[in-house]
Amino acid sequence: MRNKVKGILKRLRGEIPLETLKRNGLKVGKNFTMRSECIIDYSLPWLISIGDNVEFAPRVHVLAHDGSLNKTSVKHTKIGLVSIGNNVFVGAGTIILPNVKIGNNVIIGAGSIVNKDIPDNSVAVGNPIKVISNILEYEKKNMELLEKRPLFERSYRLENNVTDKQKKEMVEKLKDGIGFIN
């Protein structure tokens, strides 16, 4: 019963099951992860391709159409291909618009509006989106930060039954800045 209610809620929010999208032409590679409340354009899924090892954080929207002209004298919907390469992370709340290509080895920051192509090996953020660094620079910066900041083991995650003591410790250690978790 609970799963049935979840399914109804997902449909009301516009979430179509991945298998349905694939049957209707969505191309998806291996190891694709899509968190809750993601929406992939259900009206034109065959215009969207997603590579291998791609992760969508919660509330990512991928659109292959733009209906903004329907109420104008143009009275047509713009459509375009969307291509997402391999080894891509798309942050929470990101909207990917029609006619864009996201390259391989890319990180898209949370809340971004992807309205243009993003080259391989890039970190891009913002509204409108812009490339802020390459992957190697981003990794180097964060490896240096990792040496200075708190690192928490997997036991500090909900799925590993984090304790109240661990939660308090984490909050205390993060009061002066960012940290990391395995």
Side-chain angles (χ1 to χ4, degrees):
M1 178 69 164
R2 186 173 160 177
N3 284 341
K4 197 172 198 175
V5 171
K6 274 184 168 179
I8 292 168
L9 286 173
K10 283 183 172 193
R11 280 203 162 83
L12 287 172
R13 286 191 303 251
E15 294 178 61
I16 305 300
L18 185 59
E19 290 309 313
T20 301
L21 292 165
K22 287 162 78 173
R23 272 195 312 275
N24 290 324
L26 174 69
K27 291 166 226 57
V28 178
K30 295 178 231 139
N31 302 317
F32 173 57
T33 305
M34 183 169 62
R35 303 290 178 211
S36 65
E37 299 181 44
C38 291
I39 296 174
I40 296 176
D41 196 328
Y42 58 87
S43 60
L44 298 160
W46 58 90
L47 298 180
I48 301 167
S49 64
I50 300 169
D52 296 335
N53 306 311
V54 173
E55 181 176 350
F56 288 179
R59 297 176 313 285
V60 169
H61 291 201
V62 181
L63 301 172
H65 79 281
D66 173 358
S68 63
L69 294 170
N70 288 336
K71 302 294 183 199
T72 71
S73 60
V74 177
K75 296 192 186 327
H76 287 79
T77 298
K78 289 192 280 187
I79 62 173
L81 298 176
V82 175
S83 173
I84 300 169
N86 298 319
N87 306 312
V88 174
F89 175 82
V90 181
T94 293
I95 300 171
I96 300 171
L97 296 174
N99 197 41
V100 299
K101 181 178 180 184
I102 298 173
N104 297 314
N105 308 310
V106 170
I107 296 171
I108 304 293
S112 296
I113 307 295
V114 184
N115 62 343
K116 63 184 175 187
D117 293 351
I118 305 300
D120 291 348
N121 304 307
S122 296
V123 178
V125 300
N127 177 8
I129 199 156
K130 71 177 186 174
V131 174
I132 59 167
S133 75
N134 67 48
I135 288 290
L136 293 177
E137 292 167 346
Y138 186 72
E139 286 176 345
K140 182 178 183 234
K141 174 183 163 188
N142 282 284
M143 286 301 288
E144 290 170 359
L145 191 58
L146 180 59
E147 292 175 16
K148 301 173 190 166
R149 300 299 303 153
L151 172 62
F152 301 94
E153 297 302 320
R154 295 191 73 77
S155 64
Y156 284 79
R157 294 176 179 260
L158 267 182
E159 65 264 22
N160 294 319
N161 300 314
V162 61
T163 66
D164 287 341
K165 181 180 176 186
Q166 287 173 309
K167 291 175 186 176
K168 287 176 185 172
E169 178 189 352
M170 184 182 270
V171 167
E172 192 59 37
K173 287 185 176 183
L174 294 175
K175 282 187 176 176
D176 67 340
I178 201 87
F180 297 86
I181 193 166
N182 284 344

